[in-house]
Amino acid sequence: MSTRVTVVGSINTDDAIRLSRLPGPGETVGAHSSMTALGGKGANQAVAAVRAGASVRMAGAVGAADGAVLLDFLARDGIDIDAVARLEDTASGRAVVLIDDAAENCIVVVPGANHAIPAADVDRACAALRSGEVLLLQNEVPAHISARAARRAREAGAHVIWNAAPAPVSRGDIVADLDLLVVNEHELVVVATLLDTPGQDLRSRLADLSDALGTDVVCTLGSDGAAYHLRGGESGHAPAPRVSAVDTTAAGDTFTGYLAALHTLPFEQRLRAALAAASLAVTRPGAAPSIPRRAELEPALFERTSR
């Protein structure tokens, strides 16, 4: 039986532009190509979770102009979009992504409808949560919406995962009711500093943050894989497969979506499978279009082990 995942998060139109190098201040640089596709951390993670084999429900908001196109992309992957609000008086979120020949990127996001998600739609999506299911959150929607969803999920006995990306700007942006925090190295430092647990190195930051929030913590390390600290005191590191990266835009979203979808597998096994999926995603251009399906990965990654 597949894991049921509810995603409360952002839905964007992504304009991805490829160029030889990222421009400096005041500089104009010619581009190789451009591509427009579905994006937003919420949508990307929903796509990753469903392609990993989960049953996925999405809650969020889109605007009137291009909302139908974005919803069609989600529905084509089999994602339940009934809890996505269609807002007539605002535009959908939009991101401009610049990617250079070294696969480095910089991103500018206009939140649009993502910052106007009706609380009633979030409540409706979370009301369907049951014990053993997963709520997946990011940080591209208002903090009060994520906090509201997390409380509803906890009341239902669901497992709450928060990807603190982009990094929060204040302590009030931090989701308190959660079971797993996913961050990259920059986000780890920001969250730890906001909670006055800066630590001296990666290992101590993970341990101190886990203690402060009472949650498991995973930190993605790019091509170096991921490190973690669990509430019981266990810590470790999982390496990532070596690949030639083309576009790293959706790597973290692929990792997090797979991690949520594989909730019933042992923790270290979930990490290995999520890292394999993210490593494959970076070999392809685009955000949501780059996310692999479970069948593209080694079947052994998903066979239950003893731990």
Side-chain angles (χ1 to χ4, degrees):
M1 184 176 178
S2 65
T3 301
R4 290 180 59 84
V5 177
T6 296
V7 180
V8 175
S10 56
I11 306 169
N12 289 341
T13 297
D14 273 8
D15 296 314
I17 301 169
R18 302 195 66 86
L19 63 174
S20 58
R21 59 183 177 83
L22 302 178
E27 184 180 15
T28 300
V29 177
H32 302 321
S33 62
S34 65
M35 178 175 70
T36 299
L38 173 71
K41 288 187 173 298
N44 291 342
Q45 292 180 17
V47 169
V50 79
R51 292 183 183 176
S55 172
V56 178
R57 178 193 304 114
M58 179 89 208
V62 294
D66 54 0
V69 174
L70 296 174
L71 293 179
D72 182 60
F73 275 120
L74 292 168
R76 270 190 253 167
D77 260 300
I79 296 167
D80 180 346
I81 56 172
D82 285 349
V84 178
R86 288 75 161 172
L87 306 181
E88 296 297 325
D89 57 351
T90 188
S92 297
R94 196 167 203 99
V96 177
V97 186
L98 304 182
I99 309 110
D100 68 13
D101 287 345
E104 295 295 333
N105 65 60
C106 62
I107 305 172
V108 178
V109 178
V110 182
N114 295 313
H115 277 198
I117 298 175
D121 291 278
V122 173
D123 288 346
R124 184 156 55 90
C126 291
L129 282 164
R130 297 292 180 266
S131 178
E133 296 183 1
V134 177
L135 173 69
L136 180 53
L137 305 166
Q138 316 78 37
N139 211 32
E140 285 187 333
V141 301
H144 71 89
I145 289 292
S146 294
R148 186 186 189 100
R151 285 195 302 272
R152 298 292 189 276
R154 272 293 181 82
E155 290 166 1
H159 186 87
V160 181
I161 300 175
W162 180 45
N163 177 209
V169 297
S170 72
R171 190 167 183 145
D173 292 338
I174 296 173
V175 175
D177 297 307
L178 71 157
D179 298 283
L180 173 61
L181 171 67
V182 181
V183 288
N184 63 20
E185 291 179 273
H186 167 68
E187 294 149 4
L188 173 64
V189 172
V190 171
V191 175
T193 301
L194 288 173
L195 291 175
D196 298 320
T197 58
Q200 299 300 313
D201 54 22
L202 176 64
R203 187 185 182 94
S204 64
R205 287 190 192 106
L206 287 170
D208 291 348
L209 193 53
S210 176
D211 290 342
L213 289 172
T215 187
D216 300 332
V217 183
V218 173
C219 180
T220 57
L221 305 171
S223 60
D224 289 330
Y228 64 90
H229 186 94
L230 307 183
R231 279 170 285 194
E234 180 184 350
S235 62
H237 171 266
R242 294 298 175 187
V243 297
S244 296
V246 170
D247 181 356
T248 60
T249 305
D253 294 333
T254 301
F255 175 86
T256 306
Y258 263 76
L259 206 60
L262 303 178
H263 173 62
T264 59
L265 291 179
F267 189 79
E268 291 181 26
Q269 188 177 356
R270 290 167 67 196
L271 279 187
R272 290 195 300 272
L275 287 166
S279 295
L280 183 53
V282 303
T283 66
R284 305 165 172 176
S290 74
I291 298 170
R293 298 184 183 277
R294 180 171 175 153
E296 298 178 72
L297 303 175
E298 289 293 332
L301 288 167
F302 307 99
E303 295 171 0
R304 178 174 287 277
T305 61
S306 59
R307 296 187 70 240

